[in-house]
């Protein structure tokens, strides 16, 4: 390369470098002005506060002076306007310098870089055009093609209609939750409470105790159920498929994760979303005796129930189900359809709404703190000792801080991270039977009655091994009684429509339950 061309190259590079430095310098200067403008604006906002005194302290040239508020406001406004003008001028210079730099680099000018903001009149005109233009177009389209649009809408509704004879789920966009619709369940036999009108006089024995005994009890050993199936002469626990399941049967070996299908249906049609509800339902009788509740069963008999829960959990997980909801409804006022001591297990190919909420809550806490929500919570409760009811080496039963029902209780492992019932050791099954017996005796002793309640287990979703890191096994007791054996808490009105309200503090409830748990079952206490 000859000296002339080399000199030209150096000259071009120097010019290019100078142009680039000018752009960078302008940007830095603009940033500095913008920073000062924002500081002045923040100070002005503070002075505009009505609580600001008439004379304020101001820092001028590294010294503090007490100056009149209004005078300082005027100075700041002037400073802000000056800086805004300087910033606007600098931005125009930067645009020009950047264009020059791109020209020296052999690049095309940036498209749209020199656009200027619309004036107020131009903005108003655009708004008017934006409203009337499309509105008139839509009006003509609507009037010309209304019959066609209506036909399409009606056809779409027909296509998306769920089956009326099969279980399915429907989405409630207001509450953002799903509702399981089970047409088959309406035909199931009922031996529970039947409401009477005021004009009907009583006749005959309608107590659950009498209906739960004898050949009329479909859950008793040797009884013939409504489906025609005959119960074996079982001597311990007995599990069988529910004759009136809440879910539709699978069409093949497995249905996959219908939770995701529900999400897709929700996004496709947020107002009339529905999704399949496949799964299986089971009934587990606790004992052959129809009058023997868990509160009155022996320690060994309760262990048999826990073993059956663990077996069901493991079996359903192996078969690819997503969720198992084990629950017990005890007593007429809890809607129990048969007084024979039993529970149910509804196993689904989807994760239900409340289970998802528990999943989200535990996952969110773990992502924020790196520890398990329930283990941390139990540690705090053990330190406070205000709401603990019963505990042993492995388990704790307490009235939770957020309890909704009067004597609601949470049961969960004391210290160990456990996700499912089939993970429990033999010792943990034994200690679980111990605390279950003690809390149920406490419930019965509280109002000297066989206490009604709903109880359920929450285990990690069966096919979500990645969730095990933050999930903790826990169960919830929800007894409805409030003041006596005949007065219960009604979740109606405000509680049903707005937000849960309780009359009894959780601390008082725990105190009463601790006292009740310290005594032998009331039926075994001899009268003085």
């Amino acid at each position: 390369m000859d000296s002339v061309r080399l000199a030209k190259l150096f000259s071009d590079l120097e010019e290019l470098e100078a142009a680039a430095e000018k752009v960078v310098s302008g940007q830095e200067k603009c940033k500095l002005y913008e920073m000062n403008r924002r500081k002045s604006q923040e100070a002005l906002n503070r002075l505009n506060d009505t609580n600001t005194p008439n004379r304020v302290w101001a820092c001028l040239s590294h010294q503090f002076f007490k100056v009149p508020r209004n005078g300082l406001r005027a100075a700041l406004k002037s400073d802000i306007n000056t800086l805004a003008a300087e910033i606007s001028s600098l931005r125009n210079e930067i645009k020009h310098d950047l264009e020059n730099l791109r020209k020296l680099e052999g690049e095309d000018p940036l498209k749209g870089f020199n656009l200027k903001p619309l004036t107020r009149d131009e903005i108003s005109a655009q708004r008017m055009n934006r409203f009337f233009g499309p509105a008139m177009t839509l009006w003509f389209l609507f009037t010309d093609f209304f019959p066609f649009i209506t036909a399409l809408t009606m056809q779409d509704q027909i296509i998306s209609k769920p089956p009326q004879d099969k279980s399915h789920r429907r989405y409630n966009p207001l509450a953002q939750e799903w509702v399981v619709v089970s047409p088959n369940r309406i035909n199931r036999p009922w031996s529970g409470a039947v409401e009477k009108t005021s004009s009907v006089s009583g006749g005959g024995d309608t107590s659950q105790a009498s209906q739960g005994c004898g050949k009329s009890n479909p859950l008793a050993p040797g009884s013939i159920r409504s489906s025609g199936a005959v119960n074996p002469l079982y001597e311990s626990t007995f599990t069988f498929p529910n004759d009136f399941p809440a879910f539709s049967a699978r069409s093949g070996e497995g249905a996959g994760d219908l939770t995701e299908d529900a999400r897709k249906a929700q996004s496709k049609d947020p107002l009339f979303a529905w999704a399949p509800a496949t799964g299986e339902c089971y009934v587990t009788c606790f004992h052959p005796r129809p009058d023997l509740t868990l509160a009155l069963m022996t320690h060994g008999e309760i262990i048999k129930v826990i073993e059956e829960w663990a077996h069901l959990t493991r079996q359903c997980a192996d078969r690819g189900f997503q969720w198992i909801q084990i629950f017990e409804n005890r007593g007429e006022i809890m809607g129990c359809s048969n007084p024979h001591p039993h529970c149910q297990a509804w196993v689904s190919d989807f994760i239900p709404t409340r289970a998802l909420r528990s999943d989200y809550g535990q996952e969110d806490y773990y992502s924020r703190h790196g520890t398990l929500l329930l283990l941390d919570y139990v540690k705090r409760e053990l330190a406070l000792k205000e709401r603990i009811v019963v505990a042993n080496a492995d388990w704790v039963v307490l009235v939770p801080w957020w309890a909704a029902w009067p004597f609601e209780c949470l049961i969960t492992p004391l210290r160990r991270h456990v996700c499912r019932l089939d993970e429990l050791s033999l010792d943990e099954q034994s200690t679980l039977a111990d605390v279950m017996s003690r809390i149920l005796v406490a419930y019965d002793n509280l109002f000297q009655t066989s206490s009604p309640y709903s109880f359920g287990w929450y285990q990690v979703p069966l096919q979500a091994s990645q969730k095990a890191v933050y999930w903790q096994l826990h169960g919830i007791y929800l007894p409805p009684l409030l003041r006596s054996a005949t007065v219960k808490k009604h979740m109606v009105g405000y509680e049903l429509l707005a937000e849960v309200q309780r009359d009894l503090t959780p601390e008082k409830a725990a105190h009463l339950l601790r006292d009740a748990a310290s005594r032998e079952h009331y039926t075994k206490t001899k009268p003085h």
Side-chain angles (χ1 to χ4, degrees), residues 462-478:
L462 300 180
Q463 306 305 320
S465 58
Q466 75 279 5
K467 297 179 182 293
V469 68
Y470 59 80
W471 251 91
Q472 179 73 336
L473 171 70
H474 60 286
I476 300 177
Y477 287 98
L478 302 171

Side-chain angles (χ1 to χ4, degrees), residues 475-488:
I476 300 177
Y477 287 98
L478 302 171
L481 298 183
L482 175 60
R483 300 179 184 178
S484 68
T486 57
V487 178
K488 72 170 185 175

Side-chain angles (χ1 to χ4, degrees), residues 220-239:
S223 290
I224 301 176
R225 304 199 302 273
S226 57
S227 63
V230 180
N231 295 335
L233 298 175
Y234 62 93
E235 298 179 352
S236 181
T237 58
F238 168 54
T239 298

Side-chain angles (χ1 to χ4, degrees), residues 122-137:
E122 290 171 333
I123 292 174
S124 298
Q126 285 290 330
R127 285 175 177 170
M128 295 293 289
N129 183 60
R130 189 177 301 167
F131 175 77
F132 285 108
M136 294 301 293
T137 303

Side-chain angles (χ1 to χ4, degrees), residues 96-155:
H96 178 270
D97 293 339
L98 187 58
E99 283 186 358
N100 182 51
L101 176 61
R102 291 182 64 83
K103 184 178 180 181
L104 293 174
E105 291 175 337
E107 299 287 345
D108 294 331
L110 289 173
K111 294 182 179 180
F113 192 67
N114 286 319
L115 291 177
K116 295 181 179 180
L118 296 174
T119 64
R120 289 186 178 181
D121 293 339
E122 290 171 333
I123 292 174
S124 298
Q126 285 290 330
R127 285 175 177 170
M128 295 293 289
N129 183 60
R130 189 177 301 167
F131 175 77
F132 285 108
M136 294 301 293
T137 303
L138 285 173
W139 170 253
F140 288 121
L141 284 173
F142 183 76
T143 54
D144 289 345
F145 297 103
F146 176 74
F148 176 69
I149 294 172
T150 305
L152 282 178
T153 305
M154 293 178 63
Q155 180 67 19

Side-chain angles (χ1 to χ4, degrees), residues 1-12:
M1 182 179 295
D2 55 37
S3 58
V4 175
R5 294 177 62 187
L6 187 60
K8 179 68 168 63
L9 176 61
F10 283 139
S11 175
D12 291 344

Side-chain angles (χ1 to χ4, degrees), residues 154-346:
M154 293 178 63
Q155 180 67 19
D156 183 62
Q157 289 179 350
I158 293 172
I159 293 173
S160 64
K161 190 175 181 179
Q164 298 298 298
D165 58 342
K166 291 185 178 181
S167 297
H168 57 277
R169 304 168 76 205
R170 301 191 184 197
Y171 184 68
N172 178 350
L174 280 176
Q176 295 188 335
E177 62 185 19
W178 289 85
V179 179
V180 176
V181 182
S182 308
N184 186 45
R185 294 277 292 173
I186 196 66
N187 298 319
R188 65 192 176 117
W190 186 265
S191 301
V194 178
E195 301 296 333
K196 297 180 177 65
T197 61
S198 58
S199 61
V200 178
S201 60
D205 185 3
T206 60
S207 67
Q208 275 205 332
S210 64
Q211 294 176 23
C213 302
K215 296 181 179 180
S216 62
N217 175 15
L219 300 185
S223 290
I224 301 176
R225 304 199 302 273
S226 57
S227 63
V230 180
N231 295 335
L233 298 175
Y234 62 93
E235 298 179 352
S236 181
T237 58
F238 168 54
T239 298
F240 62 91
N242 196 315
D243 297 321
F244 297 89
F247 305 135
S248 296
R250 287 172 161 181
S251 58
E253 289 296 322
D257 187 0
L258 297 184
T259 311
E260 186 59 33
D261 291 354
R263 292 193 185 100
K264 292 178 181 178
Q266 178 184 338
S267 61
K268 183 179 179 181
D269 188 347
L271 295 179
F272 292 94
W274 70 275
T278 59
E280 296 176 355
C281 298
Y282 296 91
V283 177
T284 296
C285 298
F286 295 152
H287 198 277
R289 280 181 54 182
D291 60 334
L292 198 62
T293 64
L294 281 172
L296 296 172
M297 288 169 60
T298 66
H299 182 263
E301 289 168 339
I302 298 176
I303 290 178
K304 291 291 185 182
V305 174
I306 297 171
E307 289 175 344
E308 186 64 19
W309 288 341
H311 172 72
L312 269 174
T313 299
R314 183 166 53 253
Q315 184 184 59
C316 294
D318 292 343
R319 294 182 57 204
F321 287 103
Q322 300 295 322
W323 183 260
I324 177 170
Q325 185 60 64
I326 297 171
F327 64 94
E328 178 194 4
N329 292 327
R330 176 68 191 155
E332 284 186 346
I333 63 175
M334 297 308 292
C336 182
S337 62
N338 189 300
H340 192 114
H342 70 284
C343 73
Q344 298 187 56
W346 289 14

Side-chain angles (χ1 to χ4, degrees), residues 74-89:
L76 286 173
K77 286 181 180 179
S78 176
D79 189 32
I80 290 171
N81 292 335
T82 301
L83 287 170
E86 289 289 341
I87 291 170
S88 179
S89 176

